[in-house]
Amino acid sequence: MSPSPFLSPDAIRAAFSAAMSAMYRDEVPAYGTLMALVADVNEATLASQPTLRASLEATETLARISEERHGAIRLGTEAELAMMRRVFAVMGMFPVGYYDLSEAGVPVHSTAFRPVGETALNINPFRVFTSLLRLDLIADEGLRATAEQTLARRQIFSDAAVALVDKAERDGGLSREDAGLFVTEVLDTFRWHSEASVDRALYARLHDAHRLIADVVSFKGPHINHLTPRTLDIDAVQDQMPSRGIVPKAVVEGPPSRACPILLRQTSFKAVEERVSFPDENGKLQTGSHTARFGEIEQRGIALTPKGRSLYDKLLNQARASVRPAPDGSNADAYRVALTRSFAEFPDDWNAIRKAGLGYFLYTVDDAVAGARGSDIESLIAAGAVRFDAIVYEDFLPVSAAGIFQSNLGDDAVQEFTASPNQRLFEKALGAAVLNEFEHYAGIERASIERCLAALKAFSD
Ligand code: OOG
Ligand code: NI
């Protein structure tokens, strides 16, 4: 077989993620500070926890542990979303999950474009949480129409980027040279434009309707609004942010700190206020400011089954009903206590989580135990012939996402929208169905059990 003339989508994604990181550190210096803090905390954590170090060494590349895991953008039109899907597909990123944020007071619905297979995730896990603005949730019809017209006028992809996507689709991939051009052209779409495309008065009207609407409609493109490296100790990074001169959001989103981590914990530094300019009717620029861009960190745990997820949702709601985290952080300690107390009901032992059907696990044959045979996975586990490991949750959480959104939109910006999930409408705009994350994890688990049973088939069969 002759070697592929194409650079692999995984390699294109890795190059894109690295280029985006460099661009964002340059655009938002506080993000570079966060990256340095994360690297220091990860190094200290590895030094003080030799078992963690050994297990990560066995499964991951330690040198890349502090690299970005995700970023986020907000799009304005269906056509932008449909084209973005094609762009991400060239990098091996596919839409997984549907998130309705309207319920949490944010007028968007979203998916995450991400690598799906284990190999692809290991090569480079970079995802982009991608939201589509819901202009249908703007009550003021005149403003809605103006916003629509403004968005219809912009072209967020360069002609060269579109041509390269066409070429990749037609030929089945991109050569190394084309891939290099593709990364440069596509990166441009995510770049910050300090010059707004609307005048100050329209910006103010959009901003009054919702800060997020102003962020999406007023600029020439969907600037990357944050990037998120992985941390091995999220609480330490949260605590140390102030000593590096960056302001953390009030609380860490997601479950509390636990022996057996579940789902996803995330926090961020608060969005920075940036100088922007607005053209007036004579084309002269007036200065103003805009606050949207920040840096985030994440720490992931086991993917939960629907049963585990509803227990998680119940316990989170219970904690938030007793202490609603205040944006200024004044009750952060009380919230942490309430969260820990509430989650005491969630088993904190891998086998207990497994036996209760709360999480997804990967089953593998433990070669050290010779001779065990059977067709029942539980007895094979009991005999020590099969081991199980948590499957990592690679997706997002709507309540956490809303918390991240809110704290970065200004803490006074909590607004109510009627919850109106509309996955069908989202998928129509996307031009494809999103992958259901639960079915995906269940499939990985099921296949691993089948592999074990096939390998350890009882002799009597
Ligand atoms: C996206 C917020 C969601 C996350 O990590 O949950 C997100 C945004 O602010 O556009 O990135
Ligand atoms: Ni994020």
Side-chain angles (χ1 to χ4, degrees):
M1 217 174 83
S2 58
S4 164
F6 302 128
L7 190 64
S8 78
D10 296 333
I12 305 179
R13 180 175 65 259
F16 176 73
S17 156
M20 183 100 100
S21 177
M23 178 176 87
Y24 199 59
R25 266 174 286 162
D26 191 40
E27 288 184 349
V28 181
Y31 179 65
T33 308
L34 179 68
M35 285 289 275
L37 172 59
V38 167
D40 290 351
V41 166
N42 286 355
E43 197 178 309
T45 309
L46 288 172
S48 67
Q49 296 184 34
T51 346
L52 176 68
R53 184 184 191 101
S55 85
L56 289 176
E57 242 160 15
T59 52
E60 324 215 15
T61 319
L62 280 189
R64 300 205 335 243
I65 221 88
S66 307
E67 281 180 3
E68 280 80 4
R69 298 286 148 150
H70 81 261
I73 53 168
R74 304 155 184 167
L75 300 172
T77 69
E78 300 192 344
E80 289 174 0
L81 181 64
M83 186 64 205
M84 203 50 105
R85 175 178 66 80
R86 296 175 56 205
V87 167
F88 283 134
V90 174
M91 298 187 251
M93 297 159 84
F94 305 99
V96 181
Y98 171 77
Y99 306 94
D100 168 40
L101 281 302
S102 63
E103 197 168 348
V106 184
V108 302
H109 48 182
S110 320
T111 190
F113 288 96
R114 71 165 177 93
V116 173
E118 195 190 338
T119 319
L121 279 163
N122 281 341
I123 295 173
N124 180 284
F126 191 61
R127 308 149 248 242
V128 178
F129 190 92
T130 303
S131 299
L132 176 64
L133 181 61
R134 303 232 3 221
L135 288 175
D136 59 308
L137 299 181
I138 301 190
D140 177 341
E141 275 178 33
L143 186 63
R144 195 191 311 161
T146 308
E148 266 164 18
Q149 286 152 15
T150 308
L151 286 167
R153 274 197 298 271
R154 74 179 189 182
Q155 172 52 268
I156 65 170
F157 301 98
S158 71
D159 292 345
V162 176
L164 285 162
V165 171
D166 285 341
K167 187 169 181 184
E169 288 173 349
R170 195 177 55 236
D171 300 350
L174 291 178
S175 68
R176 180 174 292 276
E177 193 189 344
D178 279 344
L181 292 172
F182 171 87
V183 167
T184 308
E185 289 296 329
V186 168
L187 191 64
D188 238 18
T189 298
F190 296 81
R191 202 177 285 286
W192 172 242
H193 300 276
S194 62
E195 192 179 315
S197 51
V198 300
D199 63 25
R200 193 203 285 276
L202 179 53
Y203 177 87
R205 283 175 65 208
L206 295 165
H207 191 275
D208 285 350
H210 196 288
R211 277 176 183 243
L212 190 117
I213 298 174
D215 184 57
V216 178
V217 178
S218 310
F219 296 92
K220 290 173 192 132
H223 40 258
I224 184 87
N225 68 57
H226 68 279
L227 287 178
T228 311
R230 168 188 183 182
T231 172
L232 300 175
D233 188 345
I234 197 165
D235 299 299
V237 179
Q238 171 86 348
D239 289 347
Q240 290 175 37
M241 275 193 225
S243 70
R244 305 268 177 133
I246 45 185
V247 185
K249 76 186 281 301
V251 298
V252 174
E253 298 291 339
S257 169
R258 296 160 41 91
C260 300
I262 56 174
L263 296 173
L264 167 66
R265 301 183 72 210
Q266 40 191 160
T267 184
S268 68
F269 66 76
K270 288 197 179 175
V272 291
E273 188 176 332
E274 298 175 277
R275 278 172 79 85
V276 291
S277 54
F278 301 99
D280 67 14
E281 64 271 28
N282 306 314
K284 269 190 55 195
L285 295 178
Q286 299 182 297
T287 53
S289 70
H290 180 68
T291 306
R293 302 196 302 159
F294 59 97
E296 189 191 22
I297 47 175
E298 63 165 54
Q299 190 168 12
R300 291 179 179 269
I302 188 173
L304 298 185
T305 61
K307 184 179 173 201
R309 177 57 179 274
S310 49
L311 180 58
Y312 168 82
D313 286 336
K314 184 189 105 178
L315 301 178
L316 184 70
N317 288 338
Q318 195 170 290
R320 294 173 70 93
S322 75
V323 184
R324 185 149 211 97
D328 64 1
S330 50
N331 62 0
D333 286 338
Y335 177 68
R336 220 171 5 245
V337 170
L339 200 59
T340 305
R341 191 171 298 145
S342 184
F343 273 82
E345 199 185 321
F346 203 112
D348 200 6
D349 164 88
W350 292 125
N351 204 29
I353 292 174
R354 194 183 69 82
K355 290 219 145 162
L358 298 172
Y360 291 112
F361 290 86
L362 189 76
Y363 295 85
T364 45
V365 173
D366 200 334
D367 291 326
V369 179
R373 288 283 181 273
S375 51
D376 169 46
I377 197 80
E378 285 307 319
S379 23
L380 288 168
I381 292 168
V386 165
R387 56 170 286 157
F388 54 88
D389 293 281
I391 296 177
V392 176
Y393 188 60
E394 303 290 356
D395 296 288
F396 293 85
L397 297 168
V399 174
S400 298
I404 298 281
F405 264 111
Q406 289 297 358
S407 72
N408 287 294
L409 289 169
D411 295 326
D412 53 340
V414 182
Q415 265 161 292
E416 299 295 329
F417 290 98
T418 317
S420 50
N422 198 333
Q423 183 166 348
R424 209 189 47 76
L425 197 71
F426 186 83
E427 291 179 330
K428 192 170 142 281
L430 185 66
V434 301
L435 187 69
N436 179 297
E437 66 273 31
F438 290 105
E439 286 170 14
H440 176 63
Y441 295 117
I444 297 174
E445 182 181 80
R446 207 165 40 240
S448 77
I449 292 175
E450 278 159 16
R451 271 196 307 276
C452 289
L453 293 179
L456 299 174
K457 223 162 176 259
F459 290 123
S460 58
D461 278 9

